[in-house]
Amino acid sequence: MAKSSLDKKFDQIRKREEEKTFSTKKRSRIVNKFLNNRLAVLGLIIFTIIILASIFAPLLSPYDPMRVDLRSMRQPPSFDHWFGTDSTGRDVFTRVLFGGRVSIFIGLGSAILSAVVGIAVGCYAGYKGGWIDVIALRISEIFMSFPQIILVLLLVSITGQSLFNLMAIFILTGWGGMYRLARARMLSLREEEYVQALRSFGLSTFTICYKHMLPNALSPIMVNITLSTAMFILTEAGLSFLGLGVPLNIPTWGNILNVAQDILILQNYWWMWGPVGIVISVFVLCVNFIGDGLRDSTDPSQQG
Amino acid sequence: MKKEILKLRGVKVHFPVQAGVFNRVVGHVLAVDGVDLDIFRGEVLGLAGESGCGKTTLGKAILRLVEPTDGEVKYISKDDNETELTSLEKKDMDPFRKKLQIVFQDPHSSLNPSFTIFGSLQDPLKKFGIKSKEERRKIIGDLLEAVNMRREYMDRYPHEFSGGQRQRIGIVRALCLEPELIVCDEAVSALDVSIQAQVLKLLMQLKKEKNLTYLFITHDLSVTEYLCDRIAVMYLGRIVELCDSEDLYNNTLHPYSEALISAIPVADLDKQTKRIVLEGDVPSPVNPPKGCPFHPRCPKATDICKTEVPTLKKYSTNGNEHYASCHLIDLPEIS
């Protein structure tokens, strides 16, 4: 009797397994799973394009983002000026590119740094428990109970507007969330039997909690990093729009949007605020897609 | 001559119960409440009892995965050196961690899902001085073959294995530092019956090959009968009966053990068994009953049981030592 096609397939698989050509894992499982998620890949592509465009901004645009050119004020989009020019004749496209540098730096930088702080504290305190945990928890509550805007106002009035003040505030108010996430994961993980097994070998606390437990706690943290990158970019835009964020002379996405406060510009010169608004939204959306993809691919219990 | 490997004296594990706004300690869970036990080299000691009686806690207290509140755990090495483990500093514990290992109950949470088998097993080896990667791979590979698994499996992830395979990997982990005593904490309870037999057989074979001692924690007396040299029955944090396993089935002294044994199903239609059904649940270990902890459920309880706590006394059945703690035993006590 002829073999069914299914049988043939199984024979092939068996043959390959015997020849040991089967498990040619060139890419890791996580990368494979991520690449299977189309939205995440799309997000990653656009994310990379925007970041590369910001980094290589001087190559892509002949203009200086800061140079005032009063002869070409408020020009609509054209071949010379892709996104038009603003009220002082600066090229909006160039400013969006250069603004991306600062905005992405602030968003990604604050998200990663606050995650590093949060994870470092949360893993150790969550695993160890006891008074270290209580103190860390209270400190994080104190920081989280301050409204961000008030803190920004305070710091801006004391030290003046600057990029690093803004980042410092984002980190101060942002690490608490990461800490809690990491701590909560560690609390449930530390009762797992593999952790107990490691303890029965007398391995050091650092090896157990940062090497063996952290990878299992990482997937919600990764998602949170991407989400808070998006949130920090939006907050920066919002604060700069209010004139509280990055000093106005530095182009950021928020500072470019700032001009839309003027009702005249909002109604008549859409190119001064429209494109940058779209860029912000697209970027934030992409970051969120990446976050989703990361969550699905790093979760070891989900097969794919 | 039998030699001890572990001596437990008055081991207690009490967990504080906190309540109220300020987390005041309002009581203690007496999970293990004064256990004296000798474990001899090369034996299989069964530790039986129903859920919540403190058997797992006792096993973990031996390895100091749970810190004992009180009491002594003495380890006696091959050349008769006694060391008291509970008072050691964390660092000084290391040489003994090598000797005492544990196999866990739940095969699904006992392996780290983010690491390959080799990845999660290599750190302990590294810590105990096996520096080269090839050597570590060889040790783990050899052990995998010893538990009838393929050497290549060490590069796979835990989710690629079945429950029985994972449990065997758990055994590999316990074996990798060549321990002398392994605490098997309900090591087969989570497996289905055919796999149970397979794993038990493997454990016994390994015991022979590597001269191991097992503390076999279980709630399944039908398993212990064939496996254990001696059996200790625990109730509410105390040992109520300790004897050779044959004596436990043939000359049961404690009414609680009697009830447990009567619950073992017998595959024989002609054999009439009298089923002793215990009323109620195990009393709360936060405030155990006065007198004998078993008296509220004991079918034979008398007045003395309600007031006086019985101690573990030594008797003799079939010429073997037989310990039990009950007021109602009418055998002569041996000193």
Side-chain angles (χ1 to χ4, degrees):
Chain A
M1 205 176 86
K3 275 184 177 174
S4 75
S5 65
L6 203 61
D7 277 344
K8 273 181 196 160
K9 233 176 201 170
F10 270 121
D11 281 348
Q12 278 173 1
I13 292 174
R14 188 170 300 146
K15 201 178 151 203
R16 277 159 71 192
E17 200 166 36
E18 275 163 7
E19 288 167 355
K20 292 187 179 175
T21 50
F22 193 57
S23 58
T24 46
K25 278 181 186 165
K26 278 175 190 157
R27 287 186 307 224
S28 85
R29 214 157 49 94
I30 293 175
V31 176
N32 266 335
K33 260 156 92 181
F34 187 85
L35 291 180
N36 282 340
N37 186 334
R38 285 198 194 141
L39 266 185
V41 173
L42 182 76
L44 190 66
I45 291 171
I46 299 178
F47 176 83
T48 320
I49 290 175
I50 294 179
I51 284 190
L52 286 180
S54 300
I55 291 173
F56 297 111
L59 302 177
L60 293 177
S61 153
Y63 300 99
D64 180 345
M66 316 284 262
R67 215 178 68 96
V68 176
D69 182 3
L70 294 177
R71 274 169 305 176
S72 51
M73 266 165 44
R74 295 181 179 174
Q75 282 179 4
S78 64
F79 259 117
D80 287 342
H81 301 286
W82 288 2
F83 290 174
T85 58
D86 68 4
S87 307
T88 46
R90 297 175 293 194
D91 181 55
V92 176
F93 179 66
T94 315
R95 280 176 71 75
V96 169
L97 291 184
F98 278 90
R101 287 179 162 188
V102 181
S103 287
I104 296 170
F105 176 70
I106 289 179
L108 214 57
S110 337
I112 290 174
L113 282 178
S114 59
V116 167
V117 175
I119 290 170
V121 180
C123 275
Y124 194 78
Y127 174 66
K128 266 292 190 192
W131 59 270
I132 300 178
D133 190 34
V134 174
I135 290 174
L137 193 64
R138 293 293 163 260
I139 293 176
S140 83
E141 274 167 3
I142 291 170
F143 277 114
M144 285 170 82
S145 61
F146 278 109
Q148 227 170 25
I149 300 236
I150 308 281
L151 262 184
V152 175
L153 274 174
L154 262 175
L155 219 73
V156 165
S157 58
I158 295 169
T159 60
Q161 281 185 341
S162 92
L163 203 88
F164 288 98
N165 285 350
L166 200 66
M167 278 181 77
I169 289 167
F170 283 163
I171 294 168
L172 275 181
T173 52
W175 75 274
M178 299 284 191
Y179 158 76
R180 281 165 165 259
L181 207 64
R183 174 180 177 270
R185 285 293 293 160
M186 292 313 258
L187 282 184
S188 72
L189 283 177
R190 76 173 179 195
E191 301 301 327
E192 298 264 315
E193 285 176 343
Y194 65 84
V195 178
Q196 306 232 348
L198 292 169
R199 280 177 55 209
S200 80
F201 286 115
L203 292 180
S204 72
T205 308
F206 276 92
T207 321
I208 294 180
C209 75
Y210 291 116
K211 186 178 170 190
H212 287 265
M213 289 168 77
L214 185 57
N216 295 311
L218 218 51
S219 59
I221 295 172
M222 295 271 239
V223 180
N224 206 353
I225 289 178
T226 55
L227 294 185
S228 54
T229 303
M231 193 194 71
F232 285 141
I233 287 175
L234 290 179
T235 317
E236 184 273 325
L239 285 172
S240 300
F241 179 79
L242 293 174
L244 291 171
V246 180
L248 270 176
N249 57 343
I250 303 175
T252 72
W253 289 343
N255 278 343
I256 300 168
L257 265 187
N258 188 291
V259 295
Q261 278 184 341
D262 189 341
I263 192 73
L264 190 75
I265 290 176
L266 196 61
Q267 282 175 339
N268 299 329
Y269 307 106
W270 58 268
W271 60 87
M272 286 190 206
W273 49 267
V276 73
I278 292 171
V279 169
I280 294 177
S281 306
V282 167
F283 188 79
V284 167
L285 208 61
C286 287
V287 170
N288 284 341
F289 285 153
I290 295 173
D292 269 355
L294 274 180
R295 184 191 52 217
D296 293 347
S297 58
T298 52
D299 185 352
S301 60
Q302 273 188 18
Q303 311 252 338
Chain B
M1 183 60 200
K2 287 196 287 187
K3 271 170 132 187
E4 290 98 345
I5 180 166
L6 270 187
K7 276 186 190 170
L8 313 190
R9 289 291 172 268
V11 175
K12 288 181 185 175
V13 184
H14 295 179
F15 298 110
V17 180
Q18 294 172 330
V21 186
F22 298 106
N23 284 338
R24 261 181 333 119
V25 177
V26 293
H28 284 92
V29 177
L30 313 177
V32 177
D33 197 22
V35 165
D36 299 330
L37 191 64
D38 291 340
I39 304 175
F40 297 106
R41 242 169 226 286
E43 76 169 344
V44 180
L45 175 64
L47 189 59
E50 61 197 301
S51 317
C53 72
K55 24 184 218 307
T56 299
T57 313
L58 180 63
K60 286 184 177 167
I62 291 173
L63 297 163
R64 286 184 70 190
L65 288 176
V66 176
E67 290 291 333
T69 324
D70 195 17
E72 294 180 342
V73 178
K74 278 186 191 147
Y75 167 80
I76 297 116
S77 68
K78 276 182 183 148
D79 39 9
D80 290 329
N81 282 330
E82 272 194 19
T83 326
E84 215 283 297
L85 298 182
T86 53
S87 56
L88 286 179
E89 289 290 314
K90 279 254 155 73
K91 270 184 196 157
D92 301 329
M93 189 69 194
D94 282 349
F96 304 101
R97 300 233 182 247
K98 236 180 117 166
K99 313 272 185 200
L100 312 174
Q101 269 304 318
I102 182 163
V103 175
F104 289 99
Q105 172 175 15
D106 180 7
H108 294 279
S109 88
S110 67
L111 293 170
N112 191 337
S114 307
F115 285 84
T116 59
I117 303 308
F118 176 70
S120 55
L121 292 191
Q122 69 161 338
D123 271 1
L125 289 175
K126 225 190 266 176
K127 178 185 161 142
F128 286 97
I130 294 153
K131 295 276 183 267
S132 82
K133 195 179 170 189
E134 277 66 44
E135 216 173 318
R136 291 197 296 267
R137 288 187 73 87
K138 187 178 173 310
I139 292 173
I140 293 170
D142 288 348
L143 282 172
L144 278 173
E145 279 176 359
V147 300
N148 307 327
M149 289 175 81
R150 276 160 61 180
R151 191 171 271 274
E152 301 88 77
Y153 285 178
M154 73 172 100
D155 293 318
R156 296 201 180 168
Y157 286 88
H159 73 260
E160 298 173 60
F161 295 107
S162 70
Q165 285 176 317
R166 287 185 201 205
Q167 200 61 328
R168 282 187 272 163
I169 294 166
I171 293 171
V172 167
R173 174 172 56 200
L175 286 174
C176 70
L177 294 173
E178 297 171 355
E180 294 172 2
L181 174 99
I182 296 183
V183 176
C184 301
D185 182 6
E186 309 237 7
V188 294
S189 315
L191 306 175
D192 89 48
V193 183
S194 59
I195 310 289
Q196 273 191 12
Q198 188 190 5
V199 171
L200 287 176
K201 217 171 137 190
L202 177 72
L203 279 171
M204 287 305 116
Q205 185 195 334
L206 289 169
K207 173 185 179 284
K208 234 180 249 169
E209 284 169 12
K210 300 181 190 287
N211 291 324
L212 298 168
T213 308
Y214 289 139
L215 174 62
F216 204 87
I217 300 173
T218 180
H219 56 245
D220 186 354
L221 275 178
S222 58
V223 170
T224 50
E225 186 177 357
Y226 298 103
L227 218 62
C228 302
D229 303 314
R230 293 190 306 150
I231 298 179
V233 178
M234 271 185 94
Y235 186 76
L236 219 60
R238 293 157 198 253
I239 289 181
V240 294
E241 185 159 4
L242 168 65
C243 60
D244 283 19
S245 55
E246 271 179 41
D247 287 333
L248 183 73
Y249 295 95
N250 301 329
N251 304 306
T252 322
L253 291 183
H254 199 281
Y256 178 63
S257 320
E258 257 174 51
L260 283 186
I261 289 164
S262 80
I264 301 173
V266 182
D268 187 349
L269 282 176
D270 302 326
K271 205 170 172 182
Q272 285 291 321
T273 50
K274 210 181 113 212
R275 179 88 168 80
I276 305 169
V277 180
L278 291 180
E279 301 288 325
D281 262 330
V282 187
S284 155
V286 179
N287 39 6
K290 284 207 177 66
C292 173
F294 185 55
H295 86 259
R297 301 170 75 193
C298 183
K300 299 178 178 171
T302 56
D303 284 345
I304 186 173
C305 301
K306 289 178 188 157
T307 49
E308 267 182 56
V309 184
T311 51
L312 203 61
K313 287 178 193 145
K314 194 171 173 184
Y315 303 96
S316 169
T317 50
N318 277 348
N320 297 322
E321 288 178 355
H322 195 141
Y323 297 85
S325 67
C326 180
H327 293 300
L328 308 170
I329 299 167
D330 48 2
L331 284 173
E333 193 188 335
I334 312 172
S335 52

